[in-house]
Amino acid sequence: MTRYLLFLLFFLTSFSSILRGQQTGYSLNGIIRDDNGDGLMAIVSIHELGKATIADEEGFFQFENLRPGSYHLHITHVGFRAENKNISILDADRFVELSLKESAIQLESLTIEANPFKNGPLEQSQTIMVLDRDFLERNNGGTFANALEKLPGISTINTGVGISKPVIRGMSFNRIMINDRGIKQEGQQWGADHGLEIDPFDVDRVEVVKGPSSLLYGSDGMAGVINIAPPAFKQDNEIEGSFTSMYRSNNDMFSNSIAVEGNQGDLVFGGRFTMQDFADYRVPADQFNYAGFILPIFENRLKNTAGRERHFSTMAGAKKDWGYSTLTISRFDQEAGIFAGAVGVPNSFNLRHDGNFRNIDIPRQSNQHLKVLWNNSILINDYWLELDMGYQKNERREFSRPHAQEVAPDNPFGNLALSLVLDVWTANARISKTHGEKGQSIFGFNSQYSINRQSGFEFLLPNFESLQGGLFYFREHKFTQDFVVNAGLRLDGAYHDIEEHLQPIYERMRPTGEMDQRNPDIQREFFNGSGSAGFSWVFLEKFNLKFNVGSAYRIPTPIELSSNGVHHGNFRHEVGNATLERERSYQTDLNLAYSSKKFLVTFSPFFGYYDGYIYLAPAPRFSPLPGSSIIWEYRQNNAIFTGGELMTNISPLKNLTFNLGAEYVYNQNLDTGLPLPLTPPFSVLSGVEYKLPNIRNVFDNLYVFAEVRQAADQNRVDRNERTTEGYTLLEAGLGGDVLFGKQEVKFQLSGQNLTNAVYFNHLSRYRLLNLPEQGRNISFSIKVPLTIR
């Protein structure tokens, strides 16, 4: 990490004279109008500089003291579609005229950070969905991943309440990339019981890219990318803060988060601290059926599913006329219980109530994730250079009581069953150039170096080191304003160095002198090429057709190559395969959208063929390890994935909106003829929202809403995988702003699973134990925004 920082400091210093020598002083002026030619007081921002201004009553705006270069303008106004425009300033002032179209439906026509060209979705050939802070706050379910479930094509794999990870079109784990402020989030994402170490309150904006994304991001971008964009900088001499508090009745969760962000001259800064504490969660059942045994659930609460979290983040940097440079440090800290029947075979004894619903007993897991991120955007003549560097330290520890067959009498680990410590250094760079009005191009590289160290009285995966990196070129060309084509190529290499692991063998807590080789030394090299191409075409004014075809890849992880131990979170003995080859996909995506003033509908079918799809499958033999049953092995088979999403949004009357989202995934193992495991069922989410009139300058922005989630039976399952019955869930609530004098307080009261339905989530890890999901849950949240200066 130190070497990376020294290199960047030298690099930035070496061209500082160039930055100083560039001429400044040009201005950008313009007028924003509606369809009738009247001026609009729209918000106009220059993305690369983090500058924004509000047009006057005539629609006039102005930016001064700009360097020569290419900039991207974003124009937004409530009740109108947002617009984006590339602007080049060469050797004179620039004047632009722009118009906005009225729309009763909020469209995601904002800047797409996940797109390297930072333009709007109309220019993109892939399906990209944008979620802002308001959406995330309204749908905060206690974890970051759960807030994404309202999008068609997105579901989650859950382990209890505090642990969840996203699924895009039926794929998860290392097939989805999570990018936080330009850096790939690296942790133990290979396990279903390993959640995302991200503070749900510390996310300002999310962009979900569906489809192959290896071209821009490298291995693991096969199913898509979830890009967490940083919040926009505050304007000069602004300082704002906020306090957010939330309560959820089902598990008595109390969440509190306080934040501050501001801009003092050229200095930008921000910080957040979050606390979450929750008790054992409730299910609408007092017993469950495990392997033919009826076992009790005391007072409808799953024993030892409580948890506590403490998260913080801080950011500081400089915002200049040449761009910006920021440093962000964050730490995620979570301690969560694991249902007492999840480790070993559940029985009435270990399910007995211990007298406290909030304590965290054994078995439990402890997760910490430290991130140090350095983000830079620098204007050099007519080029924009983006440099993102990061260091991450992910620590995961699992605690349980050892079996007598596993440890010596002088066991030095106590109850520490497994410790995994992963250090990751990342460096990414991109150079982009605007080619007038005809498009843009970008050249870049990604690199990553990882070290994993393990300990504990159990063994699951060995020590390893991994190095990977790649180069890519991407080009966007505008044949007309309504027809945009893009294409790109990428080359990658990777190297895994995995250490041999010998596990001592004990009998009745006495060493036998023999060693069990869990895995040999493994050194593997990989080389990959990939590419993609697509277009976006706006025709008949209201239709937008997108098409994208691409080849993505995924490098086998050290876990898939060399694991050999009981993975308690998955309730099975998992064995790696050192002969696995790279996984390759050939995918096509189509998106057809119709948009008018009061109606929006999008249809997004997809198809993918996977050569050497890697997955876990049961083997025809039992495990010799205690606390397990049969062995599960990593295998490779050819497979197909197909399906699609449908989304509609209708506003027949002022302030009344109906929406519907449907999703379906079909997959098939072409070698076995069976479906692949953990496939989400067909589901439909329909809802209605009505905005109420203001009440006596006390209540503002009031709304009421109701949603119904309907999931079909999932009978297409892999061998030894349970089928799951469908279900219907009801959610409803109201929210808005309360004014106490000049102080605004935002609130929301909502209820999930209001009918207290007994249902099973096919993707839940507790589905293996026949445990139903959470019962009725009443949530109440407030947010107090504070203007400090």
Side-chain angles (χ1 to χ4, degrees):
M1 180 65 180
T2 303
R3 277 185 254 175
Y4 281 133
L5 293 176
L6 290 175
F7 169 76
L8 261 184
L9 286 172
F10 172 77
F11 186 74
L12 292 172
T13 303
S14 67
F15 63 76
S16 61
S17 59
I18 298 177
L19 300 180
R20 288 192 298 267
Q22 293 182 6
Q23 182 180 357
T24 61
Y26 296 124
S27 64
L28 171 63
N29 307 290
I31 293 179
I32 312 297
R33 296 189 175 97
D34 61 16
D35 287 338
N36 299 321
D38 298 325
L40 289 175
M41 297 179 65
I43 299 174
V44 186
S45 61
I46 300 178
H47 171 77
E48 292 83 358
L49 300 179
K51 288 186 175 182
T53 187
I54 300 177
D56 61 22
E57 294 180 353
E58 302 298 323
F60 180 79
F61 70 91
Q62 182 177 40
F63 292 98
E64 296 181 330
N65 297 321
L66 298 179
R67 292 177 180 268
S70 299
Y71 300 94
H72 202 79
L73 290 185
H74 316 303
I75 306 96
T76 59
H77 191 283
V78 176
F80 291 81
R81 297 185 192 175
E83 292 292 340
N84 302 273
K85 186 174 180 60
N86 288 328
I87 299 294
S88 294
I89 298 176
L90 301 178
D91 53 6
D93 297 340
R94 183 77 187 271
F95 182 85
V96 294
E97 292 188 55
L98 300 167
S99 63
L100 300 184
K101 293 185 179 296
E102 189 176 359
S103 176
I105 299 172
Q106 181 64 40
L107 301 177
E108 297 91 351
S109 296
L110 303 172
T111 312
I112 305 298
E113 300 283 349
N115 159 50
F117 299 129
K118 308 297 187 290
N119 50 20
L122 291 181
E123 292 89 348
Q124 303 310 302
S125 60
Q126 285 185 285
T127 303
I128 302 178
M129 305 191 72
V130 182
L131 308 178
D132 59 15
R133 182 178 286 276
D134 287 341
F135 178 94
L136 296 168
E137 288 176 347
R138 285 182 57 173
N139 296 282
N140 188 341
T143 70
F144 165 66
N146 288 128
L148 307 179
E149 287 187 292
K150 296 296 180 71
L151 298 180
I154 309 296
S155 47
T156 60
I157 294 176
N158 298 314
T159 302
V161 174
I163 301 170
S164 65
K165 62 199 321 164
V167 178
I168 298 180
R169 291 174 170 174
M171 288 182 281
S172 185
F173 308 111
N174 285 75
R175 292 184 180 88
I176 294 178
M177 291 186 66
I178 312 295
N179 276 341
D180 185 8
R181 293 164 173 82
I183 296 295
K184 176 185 173 185
Q185 176 95 358
E186 279 288 359
Q188 311 296 344
Q189 59 260 46
W190 47 270
D193 59 326
H194 305 169
L196 295 179
E197 291 89 0
I198 293 175
D199 180 358
F201 292 90
D202 196 27
V203 179
D204 186 78
R205 175 183 155 107
V206 178
E207 295 149 5
V208 180
V209 185
K210 300 176 184 177
S213 303
S214 295
L215 173 65
L216 297 176
Y217 300 100
S219 180
D220 292 4
M222 183 166 282
V225 171
I226 296 175
N227 190 67
I228 302 173
F233 295 137
K234 294 299 177 185
Q235 297 309 300
D236 292 345
N237 298 318
E238 279 187 335
I239 301 178
E240 294 183 354
S242 67
F243 170 75
T244 305
S245 184
M246 182 176 70
Y247 172 75
R248 294 172 66 84
S249 66
N250 182 274
N251 60 342
D252 299 315
M253 172 184 279
F254 292 93
S255 305
N256 295 285
S257 185
I258 187 169
V260 64
E261 51 188 343
N263 183 342
Q264 178 65 47
D266 293 332
L267 175 66
V268 291
F269 57 89
R272 179 177 291 275
F273 178 72
T274 298
M275 301 171 59
Q276 291 200 131
D277 294 90
F278 50 93
D280 299 341
Y281 71 89
R282 298 175 174 89
V283 296
D286 55 14
Q287 61 185 23
F288 69 105
N289 186 324
Y290 178 79
F293 294 93
I294 304 300
L295 299 172
I297 301 176
F298 185 79
E299 290 190 8
N300 303 109
R301 290 183 182 254
L302 292 187
K303 181 183 177 182
N304 200 42
T305 56
R308 67 177 65 94
E309 301 178 6
R310 302 290 184 267
H311 320 308
F312 87 87
S313 67
T314 181
M315 180 276 291
K319 179 171 68 73
K320 299 282 189 176
D321 55 3
W322 48 259
Y324 64 84
S325 178
T326 63
L327 182 69
T328 304
I329 301 174
S330 65
R331 181 177 172 86
F332 177 99
D333 197 319
Q334 178 192 65
E335 187 144 346
I338 301 174
F339 177 54
V343 176
V345 178
N347 56 62
S348 297
F349 176 77
N350 60 19
L351 295 175
R352 185 182 303 167
H353 180 47
D354 58 10
N356 189 343
F357 291 121
R358 302 196 76 90
N359 69 327
I360 303 173
D361 201 354
I362 292 175
R364 71 176 189 275
Q365 57 177 285
S366 174
N367 305 305
Q368 291 83 38
H369 194 101
L370 171 69
K371 281 186 292 195
V372 181
L373 309 179
W374 190 16
N375 304 111
N376 304 271
S377 181
I378 302 163
L379 175 64
I380 307 176
N381 296 323
D382 200 29
Y383 295 86
W384 280 99
L385 171 65
E386 292 180 287
L387 294 169
D388 299 316
M389 303 193 70
Y391 167 73
Q392 301 173 73
K393 189 178 192 68
N394 184 270
E395 301 174 85
R396 174 183 173 83
R397 295 176 176 85
E398 296 181 1
F399 299 86
S400 65
R401 293 181 176 86
H403 296 273
Q405 302 98 313
E406 292 177 312
V407 297
D410 58 345
N411 169 30
F413 301 109
N415 289 322
L416 178 62
L418 190 65
S419 172
L420 303 172
V421 179
L422 181 67
D423 292 279
V424 181
W425 291 262
T426 305
N428 303 325
R430 297 166 297 280
I431 299 176
S432 60
K433 179 177 174 59
T434 300
H435 303 282
E437 297 293 328
K438 290 300 182 181
Q440 307 170 75
S441 61
I442 186 168
F443 173 79
F445 78 85
N446 313 99
S447 62
Q448 180 178 294
Y449 175 60
S450 307
I451 300 176
N452 184 76
R453 292 293 178 261
Q454 67 85 30
S455 65
F457 62 76
E458 289 186 349
F459 173 80
L460 180 58
L461 62 105
N463 298 332
F464 66 81
E465 296 184 22
S466 178
L467 176 65
Q468 51 186 300
L471 300 169
F472 67 88
Y473 177 77
F474 198 57
R475 179 72 161 89
E476 175 193 84
H477 183 76
K478 291 186 177 181
F479 286 94
T480 68
Q481 196 66 26
D482 296 328
F483 188 72
V484 182
V485 174
N486 61 61
L489 294 171
R490 182 183 179 97
L491 294 175
D492 271 275
Y495 176 72
H496 294 323
D497 184 6
I498 303 171
E499 296 181 13
E500 176 190 39
H501 183 82
L502 300 175
Q503 189 82 350
I505 299 176
Y506 300 92
E507 285 186 4
R508 297 180 181 178
M509 301 184 71
R510 295 180 180 273
T512 63
E514 298 179 356
M515 305 291 283
D516 178 16
Q517 186 191 54
R518 291 294 184 89
N519 69 275
D521 282 322
I522 301 173
Q523 287 82 36
R524 295 292 304 275
E525 296 179 355
F526 301 91
F527 182 79
N528 292 276
S530 61
S532 72
F535 67 83
S536 176
W537 178 31
V538 178
F539 61 98
L540 300 178
E541 293 188 0
K542 297 180 180 179
F543 289 89
N544 180 209
L545 176 65
K546 302 174 185 289
F547 176 77
N548 192 81
V549 58
S551 173
Y553 68 91
R554 191 173 71 85
I555 298 167
T557 65
I559 295 88
E560 294 165 333
L561 295 170
S562 60
S563 62
N564 188 356
V566 177
H567 191 175
H568 291 299
N570 286 338
F571 321 121
R572 60 197 179 198
H573 180 180
E574 299 178 0
V575 177
N577 183 347
T579 65
L580 294 175
E581 297 297 332
R582 62 98 183 97
E583 183 178 307
R584 168 74 68 184
S585 73
Y586 304 91
Q587 298 165 257
T588 59
D589 293 88
L590 187 71
N591 182 278
L592 178 62
Y594 172 82
S595 173
S596 65
K597 181 178 178 180
K598 297 184 178 182
F599 180 62
L600 168 69
V601 58
T602 64
F603 176 55
S604 307
F606 63 91
F607 176 83
Y609 170 78
Y610 292 80
D611 179 17
Y613 186 87
I614 301 171
Y615 71 106
L616 270 169
R621 63 184 189 277
F622 284 92
S623 168
L625 302 179
S628 184
S629 54
I630 62 174
I631 289 177
W632 288 66
E633 297 176 323
Y634 280 101
R635 299 179 182 175
Q636 276 191 295
N637 293 112
N638 297 333
I640 60 169
F641 275 77
T642 189
E645 299 96 38
L646 175 69
M647 185 177 70
T648 64
N649 199 314
I650 306 170
S651 183
L653 301 173
K654 184 179 180 180
N655 298 329
L656 179 65
T657 303
F658 295 95
N659 56 72
L660 181 144
E663 58 189 3
Y664 177 68
V665 175
Y666 176 94
N667 56 40
Q668 186 87 0
N669 185 323
L670 298 180
D671 295 322
T672 67
L674 296 171
L676 290 164
L678 291 178
T679 302
F682 170 73
S683 70
V684 177
L685 178 65
S686 52
V688 59
E689 177 177 312
Y690 181 69
K691 295 181 180 178
L692 300 168
N694 298 340
I695 302 176
R696 296 183 179 181
N697 296 322
V698 176
F699 292 96
D700 195 9
N701 300 318
L702 292 173
Y703 61 88
V704 294
F705 71 94
E707 292 180 342
V708 177
R709 166 79 71 179
Q710 295 170 292
D713 297 344
Q714 182 53 286
N715 297 318
R716 298 193 70 255
V717 294
D718 195 9
R719 188 178 290 114
N720 291 337
E721 184 183 19
R722 285 191 175 95
T723 61
T724 303
E725 293 183 3
Y727 54 86
T728 299
L729 301 178
L730 173 64
E731 179 177 350
L734 60 92
D737 303 337
V738 182
L739 300 177
F740 296 95
K742 295 183 178 181
Q743 179 61 58
E744 176 187 76
V745 176
K746 299 178 179 292
F747 77 95
Q748 176 170 293
L749 175 66
S750 62
Q752 296 78 41
N753 191 9
L754 286 172
T755 61
N756 208 32
V758 180
Y759 74 100
F760 297 94
N761 179 358
H762 187 71
L763 303 186
S764 172
R765 305 319 301 140
Y766 288 163
R767 174 70 184 97
L768 299 173
L769 297 177
N770 265 343
L771 289 169
E773 294 299 300
Q774 287 187 75
R776 184 182 296 109
N777 200 353
I778 306 300
S779 303
F780 179 72
S781 66
I782 62 169
K783 179 180 180 179
V784 184
L786 303 170
T787 300
I788 301 173
R789 190 176 64 196

